[in-house]
Structure formats: C-alpha cells, structure tokens
Amino acid sequence: MTTARRRVALAATLIGALAATVLPATAASAQPARPSCRTVDSAPLDREQARTADPRTAALTERGGLGDFVRRFPAALCAARGAAGAGRIVDAWGEALWRAGVDRAQGRRPGGDLPAADDRPLYWTRVAMTIQLARWQPDFAVDAAALRQRFEDASRGLADSGFSARPGVRRILVSGFDPFGLDAEPRRANPSGSAVLQLDGRRITLADGTPAEIQAVVFPVRYGDFDRGIVERAFGPRLAPGHRSADQITTISQGYPGLFTLEAWAGRARSADPYPDNAGVLSGGTREHPVTAPGLGPGAEFIATSLPAGPMTAVQQPFPVKLNTTVTEIPAGATAPVDRADGPTPGSRAVAGGGGGYLSNEVAYRSNRLRLELAPQLPGGHLHTPVLTGLPERTDELTGPVFEQNEAAIGGEVLEILRHSVR
C-alpha cells in the first residue's frame, strides 16, 4: 500500500471512530503519562488562538458535533514515537477533521444542533487543535512550525487525493475562506467557506448537461500562510498536466452586502492596511503605498478573469450577480492612486483589484498567476458572495433562523452560479 493510501485509510479509521456514539476509553487515560505526553499550558498563543478564551468558540465546536476531535487529539499525539510518527499523526488527524467537516456540511455526519452548512465548528475545532499541538512537548525533537503547517494543510483539504479520472467529467476546483473580523464578532461565519464545504467531492450537472466534479479547499485569513505558499501548494498539484488536473478554478470569498460580484480583475498588490488579518498582522501596504506580496513569481500587475461572465451573471436569484470591472491603480508616470470603473490602463501599477487589496484579491491573483503559468487555456477567476447577515442580537445565541436562511441561500446560489460557468 502506498504512503498516500495508508494515510487515507488511517484518516477513514479516525473518522469512523470519532463518529461513534460511544467512544472507547484510551489506555493512556488509566496510566501515568509518558514523557512524550507532557504539555505546557503556558505555551504562548497567537491572536487567533487567544480568541478561544471566549466560551462561545468551544460551544460552536461542541454544538457542531466535533468536540471529540479536541478531546482525543492530545492522546493521539502522545502515541507518537518520533518525529516521523508525529508527522503521520497530524496528517491523519488533519485529513480526518477535513473529511468530518465536509461530511457534516453535506448532511452525512450526525451530531450537534447547529445547521449542517455552518462552517464555524470546523474553524474553531481546528484552532483548538493547533493550541494542543503548540502545548505538546514530546521527548524527541520536532519542527513545531512544520507540524502545524502539515496539520493546517490537511485540515483544509490540501491533502485530498484530488479529482477522479472519469472521462467526460469537467473538474472544477474552488476555494473559500475562514471566518474573519472575529475581534468585533466571534460568532461570525464565512459563507464562502460554508459553500465550498457543501461542494467538496460533489458531482453535479452543468447548465449545458455536462457532468462535473468539484474539489474544494478552505484558506486561512492570514498573510503569513500566503507568504509561505499555501495557495500555490493548493492549486499547483491540481493545475499540473495530467488526467486528474482541474479544468477550471474559481476562488470564492465574502464580499459586498446584498449581491454577488464576479471580479473582472485581480491585482498584484496588498493595500488593505489598517485592516489586519486573523492573526492581527498587517500587510504593510496601503492605498497610497501598495506593496507586492512576498513569494510571488513573475506576472502582470493585473490579471483578467477568464470565467464566462455572461452565463454566470445571468443568475440573479435570490441575490443579483454583477460583473465588477473596477480597479485602483497608479497610472504610468503618476504617483497617486486612481479608481477606475473600466479596468486598468497600460503600464499602471496595481493598488487593488475589484475585490480590494486584501487576501480575497490575493487568492485570485496567486491562483490565476499560477494558472497562466501551468495551464493558461483553463478558465479561472474570483467570485465574491454577499455578506452573511442575520446573527441574533442576543450575543449568547450562536445561530438563528435568519442567519441560517441567509447562509443556505448564499450556498445554493454559489452552486447555481458554478453550474452556469460553461462557455
């Protein structure tokens, strides 16, 4: 059996065990902890992890039916006998968490009383497990940063085995994002993450009758992960030539109130400061002084969408869908930024794409720069969803009918727009 197959088999075993109504007691619970089980509760937490001090975050995990991941992960880490084994454990648990999140979103995983489409249980469970990973102090040397990256990648769908090789099936790769803006409202969800969790692994029929298969990933709202190449790790293997490669890519994020926008242009720059990411980090770029994101290969200042705008914007219910052609640029020979409604001018420097100068713009730029390098004939672009509204006014209530209806409506329309993404 190949390494990949062993990993998938282990992940499947974990999913089955964690879905059980009654979980068996571990041997470790009845014996003194081995040295490799030592934890340091005082391990420093990053800004994202520190938000778990709010008890509502743990409630989102429990009410999403994912609490056993948090309870059992420390004992799984204790079973590691060396750095290689630790790597295999975080891979397997990350993949199991991703699969549990997808199964939950698609109604295949019982447990909890939150709606299936809610993306918040997966997010907060992952954050809680990264804290446990940070606190684990094994009696052998490990690269803590590398282990966390492996866990994050696996729990976000990056380790998925990819598309099937069925002939005649169109292969669509989509991405969404974690919740963000959590300092102001920890209960926030992200409809792009919810939508792609509902779509991962789905086989659908496109508007022209073509069968299609969808694979999905969910990205963090953190500049550092983008600097370290998470977008390229997610899209690169699926854009490389082969019979399992994608035929289309569509990155998705939350955008504007009340409407969908198909972004005509993605810009090369970061310019969103003073708005921080989920880790409290700023990009270093402003409207007046944009910066180029680290780690980018060569590319144009702006990249145009190659998605079929006409059919996709023909979908107008329950939210209108608009092609957004606006950009912000510094024109050739100038020093001040200019907003343009009709796209960039020759020789200009990018300040912001249609989606701004934040990570939603950057995921579109990075993925489509890579697409133009590896598979330029494929269509690709970015879709912004409406802002998800409807959280109850009472801050102790995690969900409510309006919130759930809006989340379901956005997810359903994402699917309908993708069904019309045919030329």
Side-chain angles (χ1 to χ4, degrees):
M1 182 182 289
T2 67
T3 300
R5 287 181 178 176
R6 282 196 298 270
R7 204 167 62 234
V8 171
L10 179 54
T13 301
L14 285 170
I15 292 168
L18 290 165
T21 304
V22 179
L23 297 171
T26 61
S29 65
Q31 298 175 2
R34 294 171 34 248
S36 62
C37 290
R38 187 167 64 92
T39 61
V40 179
D41 291 342
S42 61
L45 304 182
D46 62 32
R47 177 81 162 268
E48 197 166 25
Q49 294 168 332
R51 295 190 189 100
T52 60
D54 188 321
R56 291 173 295 180
T57 67
L60 286 164
T61 289
E62 290 295 334
R63 291 180 59 184
L66 300 180
D68 285 322
F69 277 90
V70 179
R71 283 185 283 274
R72 296 190 64 179
F73 189 44
L77 291 172
C78 288
R81 295 296 188 270
R88 289 190 294 270
I89 287 169
V90 300
D91 287 345
W93 278 75
E95 289 182 52
L97 178 59
W98 170 254
R99 188 50 47 199
V102 169
D103 286 346
R104 187 182 176 283
Q106 298 180 21
R108 295 189 296 269
R109 182 184 174 87
D113 63 349
L114 292 177
D118 198 326
D119 65 313
R120 297 173 297 173
L122 174 60
Y123 171 74
W124 287 112
T125 302
R126 182 190 299 112
V127 173
M129 292 173 75
T130 66
I131 293 174
Q132 294 171 328
L133 188 57
R135 289 175 171 171
W136 177 51
Q137 299 290 312
D139 56 355
F140 49 84
V142 294
D143 184 334
L147 282 180
R148 176 165 177 178
Q149 179 175 297
R150 288 176 68 162
F151 175 74
E152 291 264 2
D153 282 5
S155 66
R156 295 179 177 280
L158 273 70
D160 195 288
S161 57
F163 295 102
S164 69
R166 294 175 59 203
V169 176
R170 187 172 182 82
R171 297 177 291 273
I172 302 174
L173 177 59
V174 298
S175 68
F177 273 104
D178 286 346
F180 64 99
L182 300 170
D183 286 332
E185 175 52 270
R187 296 177 298 164
R188 280 182 177 155
N190 193 319
S192 70
S194 168
V196 303
L197 286 171
Q198 294 174 69
L199 293 171
D200 184 59
R202 290 270 302 274
R203 291 179 179 170
I204 65 172
T205 301
L206 302 180
D208 66 352
T210 303
E213 177 184 350
I214 302 175
Q215 293 288 330
V217 295
V218 173
F219 288 120
V221 184
R222 296 189 298 248
Y223 287 113
D225 293 78
F226 276 56
D227 295 347
R228 292 186 291 273
I230 191 170
V231 176
E232 289 76 10
R233 292 197 304 276
F235 282 87
R238 294 170 170 92
L239 287 172
H243 58 282
R244 293 179 181 268
S245 61
D247 297 312
Q248 174 186 313
I249 62 171
T250 303
T251 54
I252 307 171
S253 64
Q254 180 176 245
Y256 306 97
L259 81 160
F260 282 87
T261 54
L262 184 63
E263 302 303 336
W265 298 95
R268 190 173 173 83
R270 291 176 176 173
S271 58
D273 292 356
Y275 196 85
D277 67 6
N278 272 352
V281 174
L282 296 174
S283 73
T286 65
R287 176 182 168 89
E288 290 71 27
H289 300 286
V291 298
T292 299
L296 281 177
E301 286 293 303
F302 290 96
I303 296 176
T305 186
S306 55
L307 292 172
M312 294 176 76
T313 58
V315 179
Q316 292 290 311
Q317 294 295 329
F319 299 96
V321 184
K322 171 188 173 184
L323 178 66
N324 182 18
T325 59
T326 62
V327 299
T328 304
E329 65 175 14
I330 299 176
T335 58
V338 174
D339 296 325
R340 294 188 58 86
D342 55 353
T345 57
S348 67
R349 182 182 178 191
V351 176
Y358 196 47
L359 289 171
S360 58
N361 169 78
E362 188 168 326
V363 74
Y365 186 90
R366 284 183 178 270
S367 60
N368 282 282
R369 192 211 67 80
L370 194 64
R371 175 184 62 80
L372 291 174
E373 178 183 308
L374 298 177
Q377 75 283 3
L378 302 186
H382 188 81
L383 178 70
H384 267 118
T385 76
V387 174
L388 177 56
T389 59
L391 280 171
E393 290 186 7
R394 282 186 49 176
T395 58
D396 61 331
E397 295 181 356
L398 301 182
T399 189
V402 176
F403 174 79
E404 295 175 13
Q405 290 163 11
N406 290 341
E407 188 170 51
I410 292 172
E413 191 164 353
V414 167
L415 173 57
E416 190 63 16
I417 292 169
L418 290 174
R419 287 188 62 249
H420 283 80
S421 61
V422 291
R423 294 177 173 179

